[in-house]
Amino acid sequence: MVRFLVNVVVQLALAAIALLIAAWSIDSVTLRLGGFLVAVAVFALAQAILAPFVLNLARKYASAMLGGIGLISTFLSLWVATLFSGGLSIRGVAGWIAAPILVWVITALGTWLLGALFIDKWLERRKR
């Protein structure tokens, strides 16, 4: 249970960081302060739901796409987050290409680094 809660907090924090960096570095991505928390929560929830779903579809129908599952689920999660007005908006083809790539890289590296370097070690110490 503790591991699950730690993972939820990490995913929410990484989603917030990734969306902020995307908004600051990509001109066609806008993140409004009033809807920031909603955008982060919707993105993280959509990512948690869509990633396994997209993985299963790709495994079943298009195994050649398995390597791009993270990008596809990130793209879909960003799209879902943009459906809630007042938070995140992405304009133009360039924005829709750059934002998923940047957000995916940040969340993937963040998850890997935090999991490998900190969370696993912290949980091991906690068990002792």
Side-chain angles (χ1 to χ4, degrees):
M1 181 67 168
V2 172
R3 185 177 197 79
F4 172 75
L5 292 176
V6 169
N7 282 333
V8 167
V9 169
V10 166
Q11 293 306 315
L12 286 171
L14 288 171
I17 291 166
L19 291 177
L20 284 171
I21 292 172
W24 288 332
S25 61
I26 302 170
D27 290 336
S28 57
V29 176
T30 306
L31 189 58
R32 290 173 201 83
L33 184 60
F36 173 69
L37 294 178
V38 172
V40 168
V42 168
F43 173 78
L45 180 63
Q47 185 75 354
I49 293 169
L50 290 171
F53 176 72
V54 172
L55 176 64
N56 286 334
L57 281 177
R59 192 179 292 146
K60 187 173 182 180
Y61 297 110
S63 60
M65 290 180 47
L66 287 175
I69 296 306
L71 280 172
I72 294 167
S73 63
T74 300
F75 173 84
L76 291 173
S77 298
L78 286 171
W79 176 71
V80 169
T82 63
L83 297 176
F84 292 80
S85 63
L88 178 68
S89 67
I90 302 172
R91 297 171 312 281
V93 174
W96 279 106
I97 291 171
I101 292 170
L102 181 62
V103 170
W104 173 74
V105 166
I106 292 168
T107 57
L109 285 176
T111 301
W112 178 69
L113 288 172
L114 287 174
L117 299 177
F118 301 110
I119 295 172
D120 288 341
K121 291 178 184 177
W122 177 75
L123 288 172
E124 279 182 33
R125 278 183 274 167
R126 193 168 181 270
K127 281 183 183 178
R128 294 182 211 164

